[in-house]
Amino acid sequence: MNAKEVQVYINGKTYGASEGEPLIGVARRNGIFIPSLCYEESLEPYGACRMCIVEIKNEGVKKRIVTSCTLHVFDGLSVETDSEEVLKHRKVLLELYLAQAPNSSKLKELALKYGVNRTRFRQKVRDNDPLNNSCVLCGLCVRVCSEVMGARVISFIGRGEKTRVNTPYFEQSELCLGCRACAEVCPTGAIEFRDDGGIRVAASWSNTKVELKKCNVCGKYYAPVKLDKRIDTLYYYRDKDGELRDMCPDCRRKAMTRKMTLIAENEVEKYAK
Ligand code: SF4
Ligand code: FES
């Protein structure tokens, strides 16, 4: 059943939305910036970082600060994304995260947007931290690895102040696909991968090594072998004879263009006869 269309007010302007969708999604779709650390469209909202707070401003309703990733919109909802109260809380949160992840340039950039360039809290700096003292424990990497990729390579380790994210016992993982999905979603740029010839090294995940596949046309290494096997079935439908299977995306695109051109030329010839 299609969700009911509703109207919401963000910073005094009216926007259309589907009843029940997260407010942060409506805002982003309409070019309104709301900062976030633990929200990712492909995952269920988690509400952990509180960075995405907004203030509910509906008349007759007590003003409230809520997280916009867990706020399901309803008809007539009215919010402010940068009210005085919101900014006050957000700045304190940024200071806390700067203390937790002092080396993250992404986080520093975000903090500067709000005029925060230092923290009053004690910085937590660890020697030889595999996440370069840039992790805010938002959990996105753990969730995308398990819920989207189905790989379960990393998890939270330890408790309280000692909590960290990594592979079990900080050992290399047999399960890693080398897909880099964790690095893509990390909001602080904490996760490092490097490609070294035919090997992808997940430097942050205990230097786990994954073999890369070589293009049989240009010789470029282009995708992890394990990941390629995982998506092989997808190509199977588009490429039944397997002709494109061992090509990098560039060579595959060129080969497909050649194929399409030949088909088009044959068609033209057929009709010309
Ligand atoms: S490494 Fe990045 S994505 Fe993973 S928990 Fe830390 S900040 Fe979040
Ligand atoms: S993005 Fe909403 S609580 Fe983290």
PDB file of all heavy atoms in Angstrom, residues 92-113:
ATOM      1  N   VAL A  92      28.082  21.230  21.427  1.00  0.00           N
ATOM      2  CA  VAL A  92      28.638  20.417  22.520  1.00  0.00           C
ATOM      3  C   VAL A  92      28.939  19.004  22.006  1.00  0.00           C
ATOM      4  O   VAL A  92      29.992  18.422  22.292  1.00  0.00           O
ATOM      5  CB  VAL A  92      27.667  20.362  23.731  1.00  0.00           C
ATOM      6  CG1 VAL A  92      28.204  19.437  24.815  1.00  0.00           C
ATOM      7  CG2 VAL A  92      27.435  21.753  24.291  1.00  0.00           C
ATOM      8  N   LEU A  93      28.000  18.467  21.204  1.00  0.00           N
ATOM      9  CA  LEU A  93      28.211  17.126  20.645  1.00  0.00           C
ATOM     10  C   LEU A  93      29.486  17.104  19.798  1.00  0.00           C
ATOM     11  O   LEU A  93      30.286  16.176  19.875  1.00  0.00           O
ATOM     12  CB  LEU A  93      27.024  16.737  19.755  1.00  0.00           C
ATOM     13  CG  LEU A  93      25.759  16.280  20.465  1.00  0.00           C
ATOM     14  CD1 LEU A  93      24.610  16.183  19.474  1.00  0.00           C
ATOM     15  CD2 LEU A  93      25.980  14.918  21.120  1.00  0.00           C
ATOM     16  N   LEU A  94      29.660  18.146  18.997  1.00  0.00           N
ATOM     17  CA  LEU A  94      30.848  18.196  18.137  1.00  0.00           C
ATOM     18  C   LEU A  94      32.128  18.225  18.977  1.00  0.00           C
ATOM     19  O   LEU A  94      33.106  17.564  18.646  1.00  0.00           O
ATOM     20  CB  LEU A  94      30.771  19.413  17.213  1.00  0.00           C
ATOM     21  CG  LEU A  94      29.842  19.209  16.005  1.00  0.00           C
ATOM     22  CD1 LEU A  94      29.487  20.530  15.342  1.00  0.00           C
ATOM     23  CD2 LEU A  94      30.466  18.257  14.981  1.00  0.00           C
ATOM     24  N   GLU A  95      32.084  18.946  20.071  1.00  0.00           N
ATOM     25  CA  GLU A  95      33.263  18.985  20.950  1.00  0.00           C
ATOM     26  C   GLU A  95      33.546  17.592  21.511  1.00  0.00           C
ATOM     27  O   GLU A  95      34.685  17.157  21.606  1.00  0.00           O
ATOM     28  CB  GLU A  95      33.038  19.970  22.098  1.00  0.00           C
ATOM     29  CG  GLU A  95      33.242  21.414  21.679  1.00  0.00           C
ATOM     30  CD  GLU A  95      33.442  22.318  22.896  1.00  0.00           C
ATOM     31  OE1 GLU A  95      34.363  22.058  23.683  1.00  0.00           O
ATOM     32  OE2 GLU A  95      32.637  23.260  23.052  1.00  0.00           O
ATOM     33  N   LEU A  96      32.468  16.896  21.904  1.00  0.00           N
ATOM     34  CA  LEU A  96      32.644  15.537  22.438  1.00  0.00           C
ATOM     35  C   LEU A  96      33.257  14.612  21.387  1.00  0.00           C
ATOM     36  O   LEU A  96      34.177  13.846  21.673  1.00  0.00           O
ATOM     37  CB  LEU A  96      31.283  14.962  22.863  1.00  0.00           C
ATOM     38  CG  LEU A  96      30.764  15.416  24.220  1.00  0.00           C
ATOM     39  CD1 LEU A  96      29.289  15.096  24.365  1.00  0.00           C
ATOM     40  CD2 LEU A  96      31.558  14.728  25.333  1.00  0.00           C
ATOM     41  N   TYR A  97      32.740  14.701  20.146  1.00  0.00           N
ATOM     42  CA  TYR A  97      33.270  13.827  19.087  1.00  0.00           C
ATOM     43  C   TYR A  97      34.693  14.212  18.697  1.00  0.00           C
ATOM     44  O   TYR A  97      35.498  13.346  18.359  1.00  0.00           O
ATOM     45  CB  TYR A  97      32.328  13.827  17.875  1.00  0.00           C
ATOM     46  CG  TYR A  97      31.063  13.044  18.145  1.00  0.00           C
ATOM     47  CD1 TYR A  97      29.815  13.607  17.978  1.00  0.00           C
ATOM     48  CD2 TYR A  97      31.140  11.725  18.599  1.00  0.00           C
ATOM     49  CE1 TYR A  97      28.650  12.888  18.243  1.00  0.00           C
ATOM     50  CE2 TYR A  97      29.992  10.995  18.868  1.00  0.00           C
ATOM     51  CZ  TYR A  97      28.750  11.577  18.690  1.00  0.00           C
ATOM     52  OH  TYR A  97      27.620  10.846  18.963  1.00  0.00           O
ATOM     53  N   LEU A  98      35.005  15.501  18.771  1.00  0.00           N
ATOM     54  CA  LEU A  98      36.388  15.910  18.467  1.00  0.00           C
ATOM     55  C   LEU A  98      37.355  15.311  19.486  1.00  0.00           C
ATOM     56  O   LEU A  98      38.479  14.955  19.154  1.00  0.00           O
ATOM     57  CB  LEU A  98      36.517  17.434  18.484  1.00  0.00           C
ATOM     58  CG  LEU A  98      36.007  18.192  17.255  1.00  0.00           C
ATOM     59  CD1 LEU A  98      36.205  19.695  17.444  1.00  0.00           C
ATOM     60  CD2 LEU A  98      36.719  17.746  15.977  1.00  0.00           C
ATOM     61  N   ALA A  99      36.898  15.180  20.735  1.00  0.00           N
ATOM     62  CA  ALA A  99      37.748  14.586  21.768  1.00  0.00           C
ATOM     63  C   ALA A  99      37.890  13.081  21.537  1.00  0.00           C
ATOM     64  O   ALA A  99      38.936  12.491  21.791  1.00  0.00           O
ATOM     65  CB  ALA A  99      37.142  14.843  23.137  1.00  0.00           C
ATOM     66  N   GLN A 100      36.833  12.480  21.003  1.00  0.00           N
ATOM     67  CA  GLN A 100      36.848  11.029  20.783  1.00  0.00           C
ATOM     68  C   GLN A 100      37.648  10.648  19.538  1.00  0.00           C
ATOM     69  O   GLN A 100      38.261   9.587  19.485  1.00  0.00           O
ATOM     70  CB  GLN A 100      35.394  10.546  20.630  1.00  0.00           C
ATOM     71  CG  GLN A 100      35.268   9.053  20.698  1.00  0.00           C
ATOM     72  CD  GLN A 100      33.810   8.627  20.675  1.00  0.00           C
ATOM     73  OE1 GLN A 100      32.909   9.461  20.652  1.00  0.00           O
ATOM     74  NE2 GLN A 100      33.576   7.339  20.689  1.00  0.00           N
ATOM     75  N   ALA A 101      37.605  11.510  18.528  1.00  0.00           N
ATOM     76  CA  ALA A 101      38.268  11.198  17.250  1.00  0.00           C
ATOM     77  C   ALA A 101      39.105  12.399  16.800  1.00  0.00           C
ATOM     78  O   ALA A 101      38.810  13.026  15.794  1.00  0.00           O
ATOM     79  CB  ALA A 101      37.209  10.847  16.207  1.00  0.00           C
ATOM     80  N   PRO A 102      40.161  12.703  17.557  1.00  0.00           N
ATOM     81  CA  PRO A 102      40.902  13.948  17.303  1.00  0.00           C
ATOM     82  C   PRO A 102      41.618  14.018  15.960  1.00  0.00           C
ATOM     83  O   PRO A 102      41.982  15.114  15.528  1.00  0.00           O
ATOM     84  CB  PRO A 102      41.912  14.002  18.461  1.00  0.00           C
ATOM     85  CG  PRO A 102      42.012  12.617  18.963  1.00  0.00           C
ATOM     86  CD  PRO A 102      40.710  11.950  18.699  1.00  0.00           C
ATOM     87  N   ASN A 103      41.830  12.866  15.307  1.00  0.00           N
ATOM     88  CA  ASN A 103      42.568  12.919  14.034  1.00  0.00           C
ATOM     89  C   ASN A 103      41.683  12.972  12.792  1.00  0.00           C
ATOM     90  O   ASN A 103      42.181  12.955  11.681  1.00  0.00           O
ATOM     91  CB  ASN A 103      43.484  11.693  13.901  1.00  0.00           C
ATOM     92  CG  ASN A 103      44.691  11.819  14.786  1.00  0.00           C
ATOM     93  OD1 ASN A 103      44.912  12.865  15.389  1.00  0.00           O
ATOM     94  ND2 ASN A 103      45.473  10.753  14.893  1.00  0.00           N
ATOM     95  N   SER A 104      40.377  12.971  12.976  1.00  0.00           N
ATOM     96  CA  SER A 104      39.503  12.921  11.794  1.00  0.00           C
ATOM     97  C   SER A 104      39.366  14.298  11.143  1.00  0.00           C
ATOM     98  O   SER A 104      38.771  15.214  11.708  1.00  0.00           O
ATOM     99  CB  SER A 104      38.117  12.400  12.183  1.00  0.00           C
ATOM    100  OG  SER A 104      37.208  12.655  11.132  1.00  0.00           O
ATOM    101  N   SER A 105      39.887  14.419   9.924  1.00  0.00           N
ATOM    102  CA  SER A 105      39.769  15.736   9.256  1.00  0.00           C
ATOM    103  C   SER A 105      38.325  15.987   8.815  1.00  0.00           C
ATOM    104  O   SER A 105      37.871  17.129   8.788  1.00  0.00           O
ATOM    105  CB  SER A 105      40.746  15.878   8.097  1.00  0.00           C
ATOM    106  OG  SER A 105      40.900  14.684   7.441  1.00  0.00           O
ATOM    107  N   LYS A 106      37.595  14.897   8.511  1.00  0.00           N
ATOM    108  CA  LYS A 106      36.178  15.077   8.121  1.00  0.00           C
ATOM    109  C   LYS A 106      35.381  15.680   9.276  1.00  0.00           C
ATOM    110  O   LYS A 106      34.540  16.544   9.094  1.00  0.00           O
ATOM    111  CB  LYS A 106      35.559  13.734   7.734  1.00  0.00           C
ATOM    112  CG  LYS A 106      35.852  13.307   6.319  1.00  0.00           C
ATOM    113  CD  LYS A 106      34.950  12.154   5.967  1.00  0.00           C
ATOM    114  CE  LYS A 106      35.043  11.786   4.517  1.00  0.00           C
ATOM    115  NZ  LYS A 106      34.225  10.622   4.209  1.00  0.00           N
ATOM    116  N   LEU A 107      35.659  15.174  10.470  1.00  0.00           N
ATOM    117  CA  LEU A 107      34.956  15.659  11.652  1.00  0.00           C
ATOM    118  C   LEU A 107      35.341  17.111  11.949  1.00  0.00           C
ATOM    119  O   LEU A 107      34.484  17.947  12.284  1.00  0.00           O
ATOM    120  CB  LEU A 107      35.301  14.753  12.841  1.00  0.00           C
ATOM    121  CG  LEU A 107      34.408  14.856  14.054  1.00  0.00           C
ATOM    122  CD1 LEU A 107      32.973  14.531  13.715  1.00  0.00           C
ATOM    123  CD2 LEU A 107      34.903  13.898  15.144  1.00  0.00           C
ATOM    124  N   LYS A 108      36.618  17.413  11.790  1.00  0.00           N
ATOM    125  CA  LYS A 108      37.078  18.786  12.029  1.00  0.00           C
ATOM    126  C   LYS A 108      36.378  19.736  11.061  1.00  0.00           C
ATOM    127  O   LYS A 108      35.960  20.833  11.429  1.00  0.00           O
ATOM    128  CB  LYS A 108      38.595  18.872  11.834  1.00  0.00           C
ATOM    129  CG  LYS A 108      39.379  18.316  12.992  1.00  0.00           C
ATOM    130  CD  LYS A 108      40.864  18.488  12.750  1.00  0.00           C
ATOM    131  CE  LYS A 108      41.656  17.639  13.722  1.00  0.00           C
ATOM    132  NZ  LYS A 108      43.007  17.347  13.300  1.00  0.00           N
ATOM    133  N   GLU A 109      36.248  19.283   9.815  1.00  0.00           N
ATOM    134  CA  GLU A 109      35.572  20.096   8.789  1.00  0.00           C
ATOM    135  C   GLU A 109      34.124  20.381   9.184  1.00  0.00           C
ATOM    136  O   GLU A 109      33.649  21.505   9.106  1.00  0.00           O
ATOM    137  CB  GLU A 109      35.547  19.297   7.489  1.00  0.00           C
ATOM    138  CG  GLU A 109      35.989  20.050   6.261  1.00  0.00           C
ATOM    139  CD  GLU A 109      36.093  19.068   5.114  1.00  0.00           C
ATOM    140  OE1 GLU A 109      35.044  18.786   4.511  1.00  0.00           O
ATOM    141  OE2 GLU A 109      37.196  18.556   4.853  1.00  0.00           O
ATOM    142  N   LEU A 110      33.448  19.321   9.645  1.00  0.00           N
ATOM    143  CA  LEU A 110      32.051  19.471  10.066  1.00  0.00           C
ATOM    144  C   LEU A 110      31.957  20.430  11.257  1.00  0.00           C
ATOM    145  O   LEU A 110      31.096  21.312  11.300  1.00  0.00           O
ATOM    146  CB  LEU A 110      31.467  18.094  10.432  1.00  0.00           C
ATOM    147  CG  LEU A 110      30.039  18.072  10.952  1.00  0.00           C
ATOM    148  CD1 LEU A 110      29.057  18.535   9.873  1.00  0.00           C
ATOM    149  CD2 LEU A 110      29.632  16.662  11.415  1.00  0.00           C
ATOM    150  N   ALA A 111      32.869  20.270  12.222  1.00  0.00           N
ATOM    151  CA  ALA A 111      32.842  21.115  13.418  1.00  0.00           C
ATOM    152  C   ALA A 111      33.045  22.585  13.035  1.00  0.00           C
ATOM    153  O   ALA A 111      32.358  23.471  13.563  1.00  0.00           O
ATOM    154  CB  ALA A 111      33.918  20.657  14.391  1.00  0.00           C
ATOM    155  N   LEU A 112      33.942  22.806  12.083  1.00  0.00           N
ATOM    156  CA  LEU A 112      34.213  24.196  11.672  1.00  0.00           C
ATOM    157  C   LEU A 112      32.982  24.872  11.077  1.00  0.00           C
ATOM    158  O   LEU A 112      32.783  26.064  11.238  1.00  0.00           O
ATOM    159  CB  LEU A 112      35.350  24.220  10.649  1.00  0.00           C
ATOM    160  CG  LEU A 112      36.760  24.364  11.233  1.00  0.00           C
ATOM    161  CD1 LEU A 112      37.780  24.457  10.124  1.00  0.00           C
ATOM    162  CD2 LEU A 112      36.874  25.587  12.149  1.00  0.00           C
ATOM    163  N   LYS A 113      32.160  24.073  10.392  1.00  0.00           N
ATOM    164  CA  LYS A 113      30.910  24.611   9.828  1.00  0.00           C
ATOM    165  C   LYS A 113      30.076  25.270  10.916  1.00  0.00           C
ATOM    166  O   LYS A 113      29.270  26.154  10.669  1.00  0.00           O
ATOM    167  CB  LYS A 113      30.064  23.469   9.250  1.00  0.00           C
ATOM    168  CG  LYS A 113      30.294  23.226   7.810  1.00  0.00           C
ATOM    169  CD  LYS A 113      29.203  22.338   7.268  1.00  0.00           C
ATOM    170  CE  LYS A 113      29.629  21.993   5.852  1.00  0.00           C
ATOM    171  NZ  LYS A 113      28.877  21.117   5.167  1.00  0.00           N
TER     172      LYS A 113
END
